[in-house]
Amino acid sequence: MKRRLTRNAILMAIVTLIMGIGLSLYIASTGTVPAADNAASYTDGTYTASAHGCLSDVAVTVTITGGKVTDVDIDASGETPELGGNAAAALAEQLTEAGTTSGVDAVAGATMTSDAVFTAMDDCLSQAQ
């Protein structure tokens, strides 16, 4: 029984080593993968769109330079300052970094404002394609 356990442990170590080598070779041959979030190439310019939030329309202005999102400005002045206003500031930073709405979560307590921002941002990016 002890020999069998030792043999199985050795086999598992060998299989793990082979899988590790295979994964390393795969990663080396494919190179680094660019961030999918900001990998799309867009037409340079400034694009604006709006969507209805909780209390008002939320306007999003996206600036694209070099085919990438370089700035996102959100006007949520008609929303509740403590909720929608704070959400707009947080989302502007996250969307600028991501370059898309993919992978950016809505702000808790400001779901309607967040959804309006995402809709307007997607509209801006479709204008830029």
Side-chain angles (χ1 to χ4, degrees), residues 64-89:
I64 297 177
T65 308
K68 306 277 186 219
V69 174
T70 55
D71 187 46
V72 176
D73 182 53
I74 302 170
D75 178 11
S77 57
E79 300 290 285
T80 307
E82 298 81 23
L83 296 174
N86 290 341

Side-chain angles (χ1 to χ4, degrees), residues 55-111:
L55 302 174
S56 67
D57 282 345
V58 176
V60 175
T61 302
V62 176
T63 303
I64 297 177
T65 308
K68 306 277 186 219
V69 174
T70 55
D71 187 46
V72 176
D73 182 53
I74 302 170
D75 178 11
S77 57
E79 300 290 285
T80 307
E82 298 81 23
L83 296 174
N86 290 341
L91 288 173
E93 182 179 324
Q94 292 174 25
L95 292 170
T96 300
E97 186 177 316
T100 181
T101 57
S102 179
V104 178
D105 293 328
V107 175
T111 305

